[in-house]
Amino acid sequence: MARQLDEQMAARFPVGRRLRVLDVGMGQGTQALRLARTGHQVTGLEQDATMVAAARRALAGEPEGIRERMRIIEGDGRDTGVHFLPGSFDVVLCHGVLMYVEEPDPLLAGLARMLAHGGLLSLLVRNADALAMRPGLSGDWSGALGAFDTVSYTNRLGLDVRADRLSALTATLAGIGAPLHAWYGVRVFTDTAADGAEIPADMESLLAAEERAGRTDPYRGVAALLHLCGVRG
C-alpha cells in the first residue's frame, strides 16, 4: 500500500515538495513516520491512548529533524474540524479506520473538508464484496455462505466490525467533493496467512505479485482490503 500511496502522491505533486499530511487513526504511527522521514510535514491523529504512547515512543527515537516534522494529537477522527481549519492539508490518510465506524459518511465528509484544492484522500477499507474469500479459502463453508449477503464480519481481534463496498464508497466520495481517482486491492494472495507467520525468503517476489494483482482486474476486486484514492475538486 505504501507503494500505491507514493505513486499517487508523485503523480499529483511536484517532486521535492514538502506536503502537509494528516494521518487520521494513525495507530502506532508507522505510515506517518515513513512520510515524515521522506521530508513531509505530518500530523497524526489517534484516539487510543495506548497507540498514541507507542507512536510517541517511536518518534522519540528518530533524529531531531524528523521529530520536528511530525506532531501527534490525541483525538477522535470525527472531530477534525475541532483541531484544524478547512483546507489545511495536501494529503489526508484514513487507513484501517472505517471498519470501526458505524456511520462513516460524516467522518469522510470531515476528512474531505481538511483537503486543499487538488488534495489527495487515501482510504484503506475492508472489502465487503470479498468477505466470503477468507472463510472460503480456509474451508469454512458455512462462514463463506453467511458472508455473501452482509457487510459485517468478525476481525482477527475478535471484534464485530463492518466492511465497505466499492460502489458505495465511490458514490460517497463523489458526494463529498473528492471523487475516486484510483483504487487498488491489498492482500489479494496473503490474507489467509497466519498471524505471526515468518517472512518468506522470496519477500520481494511476494510483494511484486501482490502489487501486480492489486492493480489488475479481476484480482483486485477480491482483495481483502481496498485502497481508494480520491482527489479534492
Side-chain angles (χ1 to χ4, degrees), residues 10-56:
R12 295 220 58 79
F13 303 104
V15 176
R17 176 177 166 183
R18 180 174 291 185
L19 301 175
R20 302 164 298 166
V21 180
L22 172 63
D23 189 353
V24 174
M26 69 168 182
Q28 300 178 62
T30 303
Q31 197 67 240
L33 273 173
R34 185 185 74 84
L35 292 171
R37 290 179 188 126
T38 60
H40 301 301
Q41 194 74 34
V42 183
T43 299
L45 182 63
E46 173 59 55
Q47 67 174 346
D48 186 290
T50 301
M51 291 292 184
V52 169
R56 286 179 172 153

Side-chain angles (χ1 to χ4, degrees), residues 102-169:
E102 187 172 346
E103 296 292 340
D105 287 5
L107 168 63
L108 291 172
L111 299 184
R113 284 194 292 271
M114 295 300 103
L115 284 169
H117 182 78
L120 179 68
L121 175 60
S122 175
L123 307 175
L124 184 70
V125 304
R126 188 73 163 90
N127 182 9
D129 293 321
L131 286 181
M133 292 297 291
R134 183 185 294 172
L137 292 173
S138 301
D140 176 7
W141 309 120
S142 62
L145 287 169
F148 282 108
D149 301 314
T150 183
V151 296
S152 300
Y153 70 104
T154 302
N155 68 11
R156 288 177 171 173
L157 299 175
L159 301 175
D160 293 328
V161 288
R162 49 171 295 281
D164 288 283
R165 299 192 187 279
L166 176 62
S167 57
L169 278 178

Side-chain angles (χ1 to χ4, degrees), residues 1 21-22 29 40 45 61 71-72 76 82 94 99 112-113 120 148 192 197 201 222-223:
M1 189 194 67
V21 180
L22 172 63
H40 301 301
L45 182 63
R71 63 172 173 158
I72 298 170
D76 194 316
V82 174
C94 186
M99 56 274 290
R113 284 194 292 271
L120 179 68
F148 282 108
T192 57
V222 296

